[in-house]
Amino acid sequence: MSARTLKLGAVLLGVGGPGQHNTWLSPEIPGNASVDVRWYIARARQAEAAKFDHVFIVDSQFITPDSPNHYLSRLEPLTLLSAIAVHTSHIGLVGTITTSYNEPFNVARRLASLDHISGGRAGWNVVTSGDAGTAGNYSRDEHYDYETRYGRAFEHVQVAQGLWDSYEADAFPRDKERGVFFDRSRQHALHHRSEYFSVVGPLNLERTPQGQPVIFQAGDSEEGRDLGASIADAIFTHAGTLEQARAFRSELRARAAARGRNPEHLLVVPGIFPIIADSDEEARAKEDAILGAKSFARALAELGRPFGWHDFSQYDLDAPFPEVGDVGARSFRTHAEKIKKLARERNLTLRQVVEHQLQEQRSPFVGSPRTVADEIERWFDGGGFDGINISVTVPSEFARFIDQVLPILRERGVVRSEYESTTLRGNLGLPVPENRYTAARRQPPAATACRHHRGRRHR
Amino acid sequence: MSARTLKLGAVLLGVGGPGQHNTWLSPEIPGNASVDVRWYIARARQAEAAKFDHVFIVDSQFITPDSPNHYLSRLEPLTLLSAIAVHTSHIGLVGTITTSYNEPFNVARRLASLDHISGGRAGWNVVTSGDAGTAGNYSRDEHYDYETRYGRAFEHVQVAQGLWDSYEADAFPRDKERGVFFDRSRQHALHHRSEYFSVVGPLNLERTPQGQPVIFQAGDSEEGRDLGASIADAIFTHAGTLEQARAFRSELRARAAARGRNPEHLLVVPGIFPIIADSDEEARAKEDAILGAKSFARALAELGRPFGWHDFSQYDLDAPFPEVGDVGARSFRTHAEKIKKLARERNLTLRQVVEHQLQEQRSPFVGSPRTVADEIERWFDGGGFDGINISVTVPSEFARFIDQVLPILRERGVVRSEYESTTLRGNLGLPVPENRYTAARRQPPAATACRHHRGRRHR
């Protein structure tokens, strides 16, 4: 086992960071980058040359005319990742798919296909769709409530993982001399039947190079943490302060351990937005310029998202933060609750809340290359994270991180210099799960039954 | 408008033709071809070098241990086609997706993504899932009945086409100087609400290079023909005799015309299995060898498929064809009815029916290159088809068709020598549909309303 090293992900064209809504103005970015497969392939190759573990594609299935620019029109993640797969060789490919509006059989099949196509580099960022409006695109009058979303997500992943075990590793001898294509004793139907799904199986796809694609999961709520601790290999989260990050990671690891899992196999990998310049002063000035370019009006509109895109422009800015009650209860609930709590505890006006949100977008990773490297190392050593997902939009900014920050971290042994494996699982240091039927044949029945039951319900 | 030319499709690793179950034994084919993206890319490039219009990927989502070899484990069509897209430049990419077990928003998005990634080469083979067992993989106790499947299919395609119009062509100025990314007056929510689906929209993807991906449809039943005549650009069917093919094509065209469509924009493209050798005698001997290699037992098992994988091995082979009543009524009904009718009319035993099915797999396109070219030309000129979908498994057999048959057809002007367009729609000679909202603004309201209603219900 090699020493613990920082995992590196690149969130391609992710928005949400400071100034991300304005990045399209950069002369380095084609205006239609979000639908330009060549742009994505070029960025993935840039990340691969720097030995990143994975690229990461975020997603949603609901837009309004006010959605962020690059969300108004963008490629579906797995269709995109498959194209990237055949123009790269080592970098992992993590795509966001919602469990709320997809069938587990289809999801399992597409991810397993990507894993075969990429030679073992597929990852799934499991989400439940925070935007309540998503329901309207899927023949539902109402978004699933929070509990249902997380209950479905847990069962959905379980079904997918079950389907990925449909064939044991030796199911296809394909022996042309003996004329034996297939060993039918190594094909297994799942016969899953539970609260949200019933899926007979088997999946029509053999065991993939990774055995099971890597599971990422995002979600800060109680339900989200429970889900992550139960089924995730890696957690995609936000980075607030080091103290918050450390507490979050400790708690996640404790929850995983409580489920009988090895906490080393649950990586916490927040999204970060480094702002790098030659000196700390220049970097801070750069951040100020980016934040300053963001209009108050846009921040006010974005405040609505966790409240189900509630329109806050209807209220008096200088009156106390409005009592909006239960609006958006089916959306990004934890985020909305945090904002309400903040306003209540500090007695803030609506304007003050918006200004606070703008400040919140300040990155903890701002400064000269050495300052940023120091800070990343401090968080990594301090138990704040196991890796980082860097938001990638402007290629030269990404190159600055690669060319100026990474060498410092490499020299210190924080980041490895070469790929250690051809699979994402291998590079992330995650074990390959054994096929459950192979395990059952190998193990005494009692131990098998126990293994089968573990984590059956996530609480 | 150029002269009518034969359209060429390559069905990659399609089974169903004579001897297809044994092709994996060929030393030319990797045993795991059905999960090997490089194999598919190589075949697509072979077809593209020969100026084929498209590659075609068939699909199903239900297997048993008795499924054909290459169906036991195969890549999901759109994930696969996206990988092929970025290693080809002109060839169309047609993938099979079932409307019975997918959400129209997801299907519209994935196909539009493929259309963007490929620069306008996406096609959708619309199917409704014939295998009744498919239901068990999608949390349903029973497969949808026939009427529901086709009703859903029609509405599903309508919704997808509506979503593809979410943005007009000029919705994204992306003018960096003026700072204008998006013209919100050119984004349109669909607000579809009907029998099977309600979808608000808009789709989060701009107008694709083809305006609308090309729609293929397969289905010989009354409902299938109605659906094809209503919504398809091209029909994927089986080739029996020239007379049957001519009758089928005439009827389809008449149905399309009755719906106010230009029948020239509905192409009939059956799957064919040419068997080519240096002489006619050798080709016939080759076919005999292929058919002879197929065991009676396998043919008996395959007979069950249209009857919902009914097990015919339980009956006396030399007794009259068994009365199986309604088994498989939710499966491939038309095919099952044909077999029952044949047995009844000719008083056949079960053994005779199986032997008849084996003979039915004889190809009308067997002989020397000239004989096969003559026959294809006769069918094309005789109104039997507008194009052919050639089953591609063994590369050298495909090369024989490309190198020996196509040159004859080119010389006669039946097949074109160069791509005429970079889009599938362009090469197939199909018009680019105008965005409905752009049209509405351009046309007087009365004409618009009329256009909007045409084909609203398919009967």
Side-chain angles (χ1 to χ4, degrees), chain B residues 374-423:
Chain B
D374 286 348
E375 196 62 10
I376 289 175
E377 188 180 12
R378 191 170 75 92
W379 282 54
F380 180 63
D381 288 345
F385 50 54
D386 301 291
I388 49 180
N389 271 314
I390 306 235
S391 181
V392 174
T393 44
V394 180
S396 65
E397 293 292 330
F398 187 35
R400 215 185 253 272
F401 179 81
I402 289 171
D403 298 336
Q404 299 177 13
V405 177
L406 278 189
I408 301 173
L409 292 171
R410 287 226 161 88
E411 206 181 282
R412 297 178 188 173
V414 175
V415 171
R416 56 170 169 57
S417 302
E418 284 302 331
Y419 284 111
E420 292 162 35
S421 167
T422 57
T423 70

Side-chain angles (χ1 to χ4, degrees), chain A residues 29 73 79 82 138 176 206, chain B residues 29 73 79 82 106 176 206:
Chain A
I29 300 182
S73 172
T79 318
S82 188
Y138 294 95
K176 293 188 188 191
E206 66 207 77
Chain B
I29 302 182
S73 172
T79 317
S82 188
N106 293 340
K176 294 187 186 192
E206 65 205 78

Side-chain angles (χ1 to χ4, degrees), chain B residues 117-244:
Chain B
I117 287 171
S118 64
R121 298 184 281 135
W124 173 16
N125 180 35
V126 177
V127 299
T128 67
S129 294
D131 287 316
T134 313
N137 288 333
Y138 294 95
S139 299
R140 286 185 56 88
D141 287 330
E142 253 199 343
H143 199 34
Y144 293 112
D145 65 33
Y146 217 80
E147 304 252 309
T148 305
R149 269 161 57 196
Y150 279 88
R152 274 179 66 97
F154 177 71
E155 197 182 319
H156 195 294
V157 174
Q158 275 201 318
V159 172
Q161 292 179 324
L163 289 170
W164 289 330
D165 274 353
S166 293
Y167 287 108
E168 296 182 58
D170 56 355
F172 292 97
R174 291 172 173 134
D175 182 330
K176 294 187 186 192
E177 276 181 36
R178 285 165 52 234
V180 179
F181 187 83
F182 166 51
D183 177 352
R184 62 175 62 211
S185 74
R186 298 295 191 259
Q187 185 201 66
H188 305 278
L190 183 64
H191 295 296
H192 172 94
R193 185 175 281 273
S194 190
E195 198 171 348
Y196 299 106
F197 302 106
S198 61
V199 178
V200 177
L203 189 68
N204 52 353
L205 203 40
E206 65 205 78
R207 185 167 167 86
T208 73
Q210 291 189 110
Q212 302 251 334
V214 174
I215 307 279
F216 278 74
Q217 192 268 338
D220 279 353
S221 67
E222 189 58 27
E223 290 88 345
R225 291 175 191 215
D226 237 355
L227 178 65
S230 297
I231 53 94
D233 297 304
I235 303 289
F236 182 47
T237 181
H238 299 279
T241 65
L242 172 53
E243 290 61 41
Q244 289 165 351

Side-chain angles (χ1 to χ4, degrees), chain A residues 23-319:
Chain A
T23 48
W24 76 275
L25 290 169
S26 161
E28 286 184 53
I29 300 182
N32 68 341
S34 62
V35 295
D36 182 352
V37 70
R38 289 163 307 182
W39 188 87
Y40 283 101
I41 289 173
R43 293 293 75 67
R45 292 174 71 112
Q46 188 181 8
E48 186 170 74
K51 317 297 176 194
F52 269 59
D53 293 284
H54 58 266
V55 293
F56 197 105
I57 310 293
V58 295
D59 196 37
S60 74
Q61 304 79 42
F62 170 70
I63 53 165
T64 73
D66 294 308
S67 294
N69 286 333
H70 286 142
Y71 286 9
L72 289 167
S73 172
R74 56 173 158 169
L75 299 172
E76 188 279 324
L78 255 73
T79 318
L80 169 58
L81 288 171
S82 188
I84 295 175
V86 289
H87 280 288
T88 52
S89 59
H90 282 77
I91 197 162
L93 308 159
V94 184
T96 301
I97 306 179
T98 176
T99 53
S100 293
Y101 300 108
N102 279 291
E103 291 284 345
F105 192 91
N106 293 339
V107 171
R109 193 162 172 228
R110 294 174 63 204
L111 284 161
S113 295
L114 180 63
D115 209 42
H116 279 292
I117 287 170
S118 65
R121 297 183 281 136
W124 173 16
N125 179 35
V126 177
V127 299
T128 66
S129 293
D131 287 316
T134 312
N137 288 333
Y138 294 95
S139 299
R140 286 184 56 90
D141 288 330
E142 253 198 343
H143 199 36
Y144 293 110
D145 63 34
Y146 217 80
E147 302 253 311
T148 304
R149 270 162 55 197
Y150 279 87
R152 276 180 63 98
F154 177 73
E155 196 181 322
H156 195 296
V157 173
Q158 275 202 318
V159 172
Q161 291 179 324
L163 289 171
W164 289 329
D165 274 354
S166 293
Y167 287 107
E168 296 182 59
D170 55 355
F172 292 98
R174 291 171 174 138
D175 182 331
K176 293 188 188 191
E177 275 181 36
R178 285 164 52 232
V180 179
F181 188 83
F182 165 53
D183 177 352
R184 62 176 61 211
S185 74
R186 298 297 190 258
Q187 184 200 65
H188 305 277
L190 183 64
H191 296 294
H192 172 95
R193 185 176 283 272
S194 188
E195 197 170 348
Y196 300 106
F197 302 106
S198 61
V199 178
V200 177
L203 188 68
N204 52 354
L205 204 41
E206 66 207 77
R207 185 164 166 89
T208 74
Q210 290 190 111
Q212 303 251 334
V214 174
I215 307 280
F216 278 72
Q217 192 268 339
D220 280 353
S221 67
E222 189 56 28
E223 290 88 344
R225 290 174 191 215
D226 237 355
L227 178 65
S230 298
I231 54 95
D233 299 303
I235 303 289
F236 182 47
T237 182
H238 300 278
T241 64
L242 172 54
E243 289 61 40
Q244 289 166 349
R246 191 185 285 133
F248 176 79
R249 180 166 172 273
S250 297
E251 203 216 309
L252 254 292
R253 289 165 65 91
R255 286 191 196 220
R259 279 164 183 72
R261 297 185 57 193
N262 179 347
E264 299 301 315
H265 298 155
L266 179 62
L267 307 171
V268 175
V269 188
I272 74 165
F273 305 89
I275 296 176
I276 306 154
D278 291 343
S279 70
D280 290 354
E281 295 67 36
E282 282 173 70
R284 277 193 293 270
K286 197 163 152 185
E287 183 178 40
D288 286 342
I290 291 169
L291 290 177
K294 177 158 190 170
S295 72
F296 186 90
R298 172 167 281 274
L300 186 66
E302 283 177 12
L303 179 65
R305 190 178 187 205
F307 299 89
W309 290 105
H310 187 65
D311 177 15
F312 279 97
S313 72
Q314 64 188 296
Y315 304 108
D316 180 355
L317 283 169
D318 297 307

